Amino acid sequence: MSELHSLNVASALKGLRSGAFSSRELTAAYLQRIEQLNPRLNVFLYVAADSALKAATAADKKLSKSRKTKAKLPPLLGLPIAIKDVLTVAGIPATAGSRILEGFVPSYNATSVQRLLDAGAVILGKTNTDEFAMGSSTENSAYGVVRNPWDEERVPGGSSGGSAAAVAAGLAPVALGTDTGGSVRQPAALCGLTGLKTTYGRVSRYGLIAFGSSLDTVGILARSAQDAAILLNVMAGYDPLDATTLESKAPKVKLDGKATVKGLKIGVPKEYFIEGVQAEVAKGVREAIAHLEGLGAQVREISLPHTEYALPVYYIIAPAEASANLARFDGVRYGLRVEDQNLIDMFSRTRGQGFGPEVKRRLMIGTYALSAGYYDAYYGQAQKVRTLIRRDFEQAFEQVDLIAAPATPSTAFRIGAHTGNPLEMYLEDVFTLPASLAGVPGLSLPAGFDHQGLPLSLQLLGPHFSEERLLQVGHAYQQITDWHTMLPMDLLKA
Amino acid sequence: MSPKYQPVIGLEVHAVLETRSKMFCDCPVVDSTHEQPNVAVCPVCAGMPGMLPVVNRSAVDYALRVALALNCEIHNTSIFARKSYFYPDLPKGFQISQYEQPLATKGWVMVETTEGEQRVGIRRVHMEEDTGKLTHVVKDGQRYSLVDLNRSGVPLLEIVTEPELHSVEAARNCAYTLRSILRYLGVNSGNLEKGLLRIEPNISNRPLGILEFATRVEIKNLNSFRSLERAVSYELARQEALVEKGGVVKQQTLGWDDTRGTTVPQRSKEYAEDYRYLPEPDLPPLVVDPAWVEATRAALPELPHAKRRRFIQDYGLSGYDAGVLVAERETAEFFEAVVMAAKVADAKQTANWITGNLFGLMNEAGTSVTDLLFGPADLAKLLDLVATGELNPAGARQVLAELFAKGGKPAQIVKKHGLKQVSDAKLLRNWVAKALDGNPEQVADYAAGNQPVFNWLFGQVMQTSKGKANPNRLRAELERQLAERSPEGGIR
């Protein structure tokens, strides 16, 4: 049997049910590995060891009881999980990767977290992130950069870099992330994981510390499409606490192995194979698409003509919303407060010291874009172009069932490679931003390795609420490939 | 006002929608002037990270009632927007309000003035949330502020009139009419002192014959109708004097100092003029479908203006009496219930008794119709006793006073105090004879032409009867006996 920490969700749940190992053993194995590797990787900002072991013990009681009574068990009972530190867990510090929230302990669970807890999951801790999820490398975290388990000199991507590295390094079997412009799909791609960005409105944002409210989604970083499906089934669906959630009853995703790839129409957008994309990345995507063709998919080239506007549109809309969302961090009620003579100086100093440079940059961009006299030219115009981008997808999905494209222009880059040039960093998300603006779901799938041994990835995009199809195709792909089962060898030896 | 200028006044009214829970969370709406601080607060209305607003349907329902009562065009889709500014009483750093697409626009309200009825335009009606409250304290030489978030997120309705009011009276009456409508609809109790209703006039003076508006000022924190009137008068006079001296009116927000009776520039709350409005991404557009609108319209109560018109028409009341009676829905309903229950007394008499004697008692005690210890049927019975002559007005006032103080049944009170009116001719004859015998000087005076002495004598007999004498019969008997005793056989 493989070591406990390299199990995926499906096999971990199976082992827990059968009694092959207890939740306490499984949880302890992860905690031990976190203790061993976290100093190297800087993945966890907070490890909830005591409460995790307590929850695991409680889960074990139910598990052993049910083995006698055959009682129906909550679907994730005893499963350890890591949570990105922009989702709140009651009683556990929440920082959003920022100094400004230092010392803040929320009294409430995010709905996504609550549903995992209700399903019996055991929370290991909170993972590192770019400050307020603003970044593509976790280099913007106030608590230091996360190391990519495949090459510790490289970034894991971001902003859910901590969650991605945790799963890739075997510090958690699965983790929650959030995706506003690519923050699940991009780190999944850079860490060789299956990363699901959900449809906007499918999983509640209640308890998600907001960045761009019209773009923020909860996502999953997993070792397989099947694992992602297991978590999605628990979290999806209407939440009375989030007015933007839809579907009163979310259909459960079933992955039955009899994949539906045959006859599936897959579109490959020409705008995603442009100059600046690493040759190996493009090749990896083409090969993955060829695999799908081999499963019976019909592949054709399509066009998403407004793709090039996604980046400028995103960098108006997301910062504009952020400038309002982050106004609450004023030092009055919680988190950091830097005292001064008067109110305005207290606000300024608190925010001046509490926010890092990238957050400040975006708050200034957003504030400017919403200012009287500029609103129409920037925010108003961006909203119009956003509609065109959404229409691109709508029109594409009239012709094809899914879209296949690269998730990132490159494999994991070196720490510090782009920190001097924000625009270069922004370009990392050029292939994930359009789907975020359209609100459609996306899935990153491991698709091999480049010549340096860094993970390659395929991004699948589907119409609103098409997670089931995305995961089915991902699952089918993972039946004939084994990229998703590979783990970073250096760390396995550790 | 000087005939050289025409006052141009508009009102911006903020009314707390007195729903059970707040605008965007489950917290109860409490009396923030009395309740302990921060007892009605949750992560949502405290602006904690990750919290989301969810619209309170009942607040929308209340808002819709008002918009319809003000004859507005209802927008089936309206948009919430974030209005950003930094202040410690605003936990999110923005207020959720409505900006470009409000719930309703283009309404009107009829306002009575001494010059007649005026139709005043309503520019817009929109929903928003209230802010928290700051208390500034000094302790041990340290100045600091305390934040109470009980009020944070309480639903507010903003009503903006067109600047079509041209006198202090019109402004006051418009404000009063709006208050009356809000109260009729059961959405707001109309309390200015507690800040449940906030009336902020904007005021300018324009030279007669000029169409353009002059620069206006806004006045905040008026906590009574009296201060509204005083502030508007003061400001019109100040602006006129300023302009006459060659000065220029500055556009600004002023506060009202009730003690000194002057307007004062307000300490600015907003450090930026630019609110950076942003459509609220956490809330989908608010859809109020036509069926909802029609159901709400159908359920609207009869509003003061229509009621007043009906009272004049159906009951023959004067415009003034009708106006007084309809000002409060409860009073109007009480009045109608008395009229319905009365068998003999008519509506006019009923109106007189309510607006006269009953209002007198209520004003003295500082109570309202809803506090009465007796019902409309009791007052109807009392007025019937007067109308049938079984009780004279003086006795009736005594009965009313007791009803008001202790409650009870009119017939029993009459009986208990022996107040039943005496119309017995023999008894009246004896009382009058006794009074005249005992006061020969006055009788002589009267005979000499001193007419007012009649009333004095009348009072004497009334006293003897302990107020029970039927006044009409007494008057007749007194006249008869005085004439008998007059040397010239009476001086009529």
Side-chain angles (χ1 to χ4, degrees):
Chain A
M1 196 192 80
S2 57
E3 288 194 73
L4 289 181
H5 66 250
S6 58
L7 294 174
N8 64 21
V9 170
S11 42
L13 287 172
K14 217 165 154 188
L16 288 167
R17 297 285 159 109
S18 70
F21 45 82
S22 68
S23 174
R24 205 182 158 87
E25 284 165 339
L26 187 63
T27 304
Y30 280 111
L31 289 173
Q32 195 202 340
R33 196 159 161 86
I34 291 167
E35 203 178 308
Q36 184 192 357
L37 287 174
N38 201 47
R40 253 168 80 183
L41 300 172
N42 197 27
V43 161
F44 279 88
L45 295 177
Y46 185 89
V47 181
D50 293 346
S51 59
L53 288 171
K54 225 165 147 185
T57 308
D60 284 334
K61 271 187 198 149
K62 283 189 200 160
L63 282 161
S64 69
K65 200 170 151 196
S66 87
R67 277 193 282 274
K68 289 169 211 146
T69 61
K70 305 280 175 225
K72 200 167 149 51
L73 287 170
L76 303 181
L77 190 61
L79 179 78
I81 183 166
I83 309 288
K84 182 183 184 181
D85 200 15
V86 295
L87 293 163
T88 60
V89 180
I92 290 183
T95 69
S98 182
R99 288 266 173 244
I100 209 155
L101 273 170
E102 238 169 29
F104 172 65
V105 181
S107 62
Y108 42 89
N109 286 317
T111 297
S112 51
V113 169
Q114 185 65 53
R115 290 186 179 177
L116 293 179
L117 289 170
D118 291 345
V122 171
I123 289 171
L124 292 169
K126 304 292 287 289
T127 58
N128 206 343
T129 166
D130 284 295
E131 187 175 3
F132 289 105
M134 296 180 189
S136 311
S137 66
T138 70
E139 288 166 297
N140 296 332
S141 167
Y143 303 97
V145 65
V146 176
R147 307 268 163 176
N148 189 319
W150 294 92
D151 178 346
E152 291 172 52
E153 296 309 309
R154 291 174 188 269
V155 302
S159 63
S160 310
S163 284
V167 178
L171 308 190
V174 65
L176 290 195
T178 60
D179 191 319
T180 304
S183 282
V184 163
R185 289 162 290 158
Q186 186 255 15
L190 269 44
C191 289
L193 297 175
T194 303
L196 176 68
K197 174 220 178 280
T198 52
T199 305
Y200 184 82
R202 182 134 208 195
V203 178
S204 172
R205 291 181 296 116
Y206 179 86
L208 190 174
I209 299 177
F211 159 20
S213 305
S214 72
L215 298 153
D216 292 341
T217 58
V218 175
I220 300 156
L221 293 121
R223 296 209 178 115
S224 71
Q226 195 176 22
D227 285 6
I230 292 168
L231 261 75
L232 179 69
N233 284 343
V234 166
M235 295 193 298
Y238 172 75
D239 178 10
L241 301 175
D242 177 357
T244 61
T245 51
L246 297 160
E247 342 170 77
S248 50
K249 212 171 164 220
K252 298 288 181 209
V253 175
K254 282 201 196 99
L255 301 183
D256 47 15
K258 276 177 265 158
T260 53
V261 181
K262 200 169 165 57
L264 202 72
K265 283 177 269 180
I266 293 180
V268 181
K270 60 179 185 212
E271 291 82 2
Y272 283 59
F273 294 87
I274 49 171
E275 209 181 316
V277 180
Q278 282 177 357
E280 282 185 286
V281 167
K283 190 165 161 266
V285 171
R286 297 280 186 206
E287 279 174 15
I289 292 170
H291 271 111
L292 294 176
E293 232 171 344
L295 288 171
Q298 298 168 18
V299 177
R300 68 168 82 156
E301 188 181 81
I302 59 161
S303 173
L304 298 168
H306 297 93
T307 300
E308 62 173 311
Y309 302 112
L311 189 77
V313 165
Y314 177 86
Y315 278 97
I316 289 167
I317 291 175
E321 292 176 0
S323 72
N325 283 328
L326 273 60
R328 70 192 63 202
F329 305 109
D330 57 6
V332 174
R333 282 147 296 126
Y334 46 77
L336 181 75
R337 178 195 290 181
V338 185
E339 296 287 356
D340 208 312
Q341 297 297 320
N342 60 54
L343 192 60
I344 289 299
D345 291 345
M346 187 276 276
F347 284 158
S348 307
R349 285 171 65 98
T350 299
R351 291 167 67 81
Q353 293 182 28
F355 291 136
E358 181 59 28
V359 171
K360 284 181 194 162
R361 183 177 299 121
R362 296 199 196 185
L363 294 186
M364 282 188 281
I365 292 171
T367 302
Y368 184 85
L370 292 178
S371 297
Y374 295 100
Y375 180 92
D376 290 340
Y378 293 105
Y379 191 80
Q381 188 68 13
Q383 285 292 19
K384 285 181 199 155
V385 181
R386 182 178 186 175
T387 305
L388 297 177
I389 292 169
R390 192 179 293 140
R391 208 165 288 158
D392 276 359
F393 280 95
E394 283 164 10
Q395 282 163 1
F397 290 129
E398 282 167 17
Q399 304 164 38
V400 297
D401 300 306
L402 295 179
I403 290 169
T408 60
S410 73
T411 50
F413 48 92
R414 288 191 181 280
I415 290 169
H418 299 317
T419 44
N421 187 340
L423 273 181
E424 245 176 63
M425 187 72 89
Y426 296 170
L427 283 167
E428 280 302 311
D429 293 333
V430 70
F431 297 144
T432 48
L433 296 174
S436 289
L437 291 165
V440 299
L443 184 69
S444 290
L445 295 165
F449 294 89
D450 72 0
H451 71 283
Q452 300 177 95
L454 297 170
L456 295 169
S457 174
L458 169 72
Q459 178 180 214
L460 294 178
L461 302 172
H464 291 100
F465 298 98
S466 67
E467 281 87 345
E468 179 159 21
R469 173 160 283 168
L470 284 172
L471 291 166
Q472 275 171 346
V473 174
H475 185 60
Y477 176 73
Q478 290 177 343
Q479 301 299 297
I480 57 162
T481 58
D482 60 0
W483 309 118
H484 63 291
T485 64
M486 304 209 176
L487 294 164
M489 291 312 290
D490 288 358
L491 290 174
L492 284 183
K493 282 179 246 150
Chain B
M1 265 309 113
S2 151
K4 278 170 78 177
Y5 295 93
Q6 183 193 37
V8 177
I9 305 162
L11 300 179
E12 193 178 304
V13 175
H14 286 92
V16 166
L17 295 174
E18 294 175 41
T19 48
R20 261 201 309 256
S21 55
K22 292 188 179 180
M23 185 72 217
F24 299 116
C25 63
D26 284 343
C27 285
V29 171
V30 299
D31 181 348
S32 54
T33 58
H34 271 78
E35 195 54 78
Q36 288 289 309
N38 298 312
V39 292
V41 181
C42 74
V44 173
C45 57
M48 300 300 248
M51 294 296 94
L52 301 171
V54 177
V55 174
N56 174 354
R57 196 182 153 94
S58 134
V60 179
D61 197 58
Y62 279 28
L64 199 52
R65 278 189 228 171
V66 179
L68 287 168
L70 297 178
N71 310 293
C72 287
E73 255 175 45
I74 307 297
H75 299 201
N76 292 118
T77 300
S78 63
I79 305 244
F80 286 102
R82 296 178 177 183
K83 178 183 180 180
S84 289
Y85 61 91
F86 287 99
Y87 207 64
D89 67 6
L90 189 67
K92 297 190 296 294
F94 58 83
Q95 177 192 33
I96 304 178
S97 179
Q98 293 194 304
Y99 183 54
E100 278 190 335
Q101 279 174 259
L103 176 71
T105 52
K106 293 184 201 155
W108 49 267
V109 62
M110 295 306 288
V111 174
E112 299 288 329
T113 65
T114 39
E115 282 160 31
E117 257 183 3
Q118 189 197 346
R119 182 172 146 143
V120 177
I122 301 291
R123 185 177 291 174
R124 60 188 276 140
V125 172
H126 79 238
M127 278 175 287
E128 59 188 32
E129 58 176 337
D130 210 343
T131 63
K133 203 176 68 179
L134 292 188
T135 312
H136 305 286
V137 289
V138 182
K139 204 181 165 193
D140 305 328
Q142 286 277 92
R143 286 175 56 230
Y144 57 96
S145 301
L146 299 170
V147 184
D148 174 12
L149 296 179
N150 281 346
R151 214 179 59 182
S152 169
V154 163
L156 279 184
L157 193 70
E158 181 173 314
I159 303 166
V160 183
T161 77
E162 295 294 346
E164 293 174 349
L165 301 159
H166 300 300
S167 68
V168 176
E169 187 209 12
R172 185 218 176 268
N173 288 3
C174 180
Y176 203 80
T177 301
L178 290 174
R179 175 183 185 267
S180 182
I181 290 171
L182 291 166
R183 285 173 54 89
Y184 262 67
L185 298 171
V187 303
N188 180 284
S189 55
N191 192 323
L192 272 71
E193 220 168 297
K194 285 189 174 180
L196 295 174
L197 188 63
R198 296 162 220 164
I199 295 161
E200 291 158 10
N202 51 72
I203 303 159
S204 63
N205 247 335
R206 70 176 159 196
L208 281 186
I210 303 284
L211 280 178
E212 261 169 74
F213 292 136
T215 308
R216 66 196 185 126
V217 302
E218 267 178 54
I219 307 181
K220 286 188 189 271
N221 67 18
L222 300 170
N223 58 10
S224 67
F225 284 98
R226 173 101 187 97
S227 50
L228 169 69
E229 281 176 73
R230 290 178 69 205
V232 174
S233 302
Y234 174 87
E235 193 52 33
L236 288 170
R238 182 189 73 86
Q239 289 181 17
E240 182 178 331
L242 185 66
V243 172
E244 287 291 309
K245 272 191 299 184
V248 177
V249 175
K250 212 169 78 182
Q251 182 166 350
Q252 60 184 331
T253 301
L254 302 168
W256 172 247
D257 184 330
D258 208 44
T259 324
R260 285 165 47 207
T262 60
T263 55
V264 281
Q266 270 216 326
R267 198 170 66 109
S268 175
K269 192 169 185 169
E270 302 87 31
Y271 293 91
E273 292 287 296
D274 186 350
Y275 291 124
R276 305 190 310 278
Y277 282 100
L278 168 74
E280 172 54 275
D282 288 331
L283 292 171
L286 175 69
V287 178
V288 179
D289 61 48
W292 189 1
V293 175
E294 286 323 308
T296 308
R297 197 195 302 276
L300 286 182
E302 184 183 35
L303 293 165
H305 185 254
K307 208 182 267 291
R308 177 176 179 274
R309 198 171 272 177
R310 186 166 61 80
F311 279 12
I312 294 170
Q313 216 160 53
D314 291 6
Y315 301 123
L317 303 186
S318 70
Y320 177 81
D321 278 352
V324 170
L325 285 171
V326 304
E328 304 285 343
R329 183 176 174 176
E330 292 78 9
T331 311
E333 283 169 359
F334 184 83
F335 162 75
E336 286 212 277
V338 176
V339 173
M340 293 298 175
K343 294 191 179 73
V344 189
D346 69 13
K348 263 179 148 165
Q349 287 171 312
T350 304
N352 286 340
W353 273 85
I354 291 177
T355 59
N357 294 313
L358 184 57
F359 274 18
L361 289 166
M362 293 195 309
N363 283 342
E364 212 171 292
T367 58
S368 71
V369 166
T370 48
D371 304 317
L372 292 177
L373 301 175
F374 58 94
D378 300 318
L379 183 59
K381 176 70 189 165
L382 177 61
L383 300 186
D384 279 346
L385 290 175
V386 177
T388 54
E390 287 175 62
L391 193 59
N392 70 18
R397 273 193 294 276
Q398 202 180 329
V399 174
L400 183 64
E402 181 159 337
L403 277 175
F404 185 79
K406 301 185 212 162
K409 294 288 160 201
Q412 282 163 9
I413 297 171
V414 168
K415 206 170 160 194
K416 187 171 80 182
H417 296 291
L419 293 171
K420 194 165 180 325
Q421 183 161 272
V422 176
S423 306
D424 180 77
K426 199 175 152 198
L427 206 50
L428 286 174
R429 201 156 55 231
N430 291 342
W431 282 338
V432 170
K434 212 172 125 194
L436 299 189
D437 289 348
N439 298 288
E441 273 176 47
Q442 281 74 9
V443 174
D445 268 6
Y446 180 79
N450 186 353
Q451 267 188 329
V453 172
F454 181 87
N455 288 338
W456 186 85
L457 288 165
F458 182 88
Q460 293 300 306
V461 186
M462 210 32 128
Q463 231 169 32
T464 314
S465 78
K466 291 185 183 136
K468 290 187 281 186
N470 179 327
N472 291 332
R473 303 241 172 127
L474 169 60
R475 184 174 300 276
E477 180 61 23
L478 186 59
E479 277 174 0
R480 195 185 62 76
Q481 292 200 25
L482 278 170
E484 265 179 18
R485 296 188 188 213
S486 163
E488 291 116 44
I491 46 153
R492 295 211 65 124

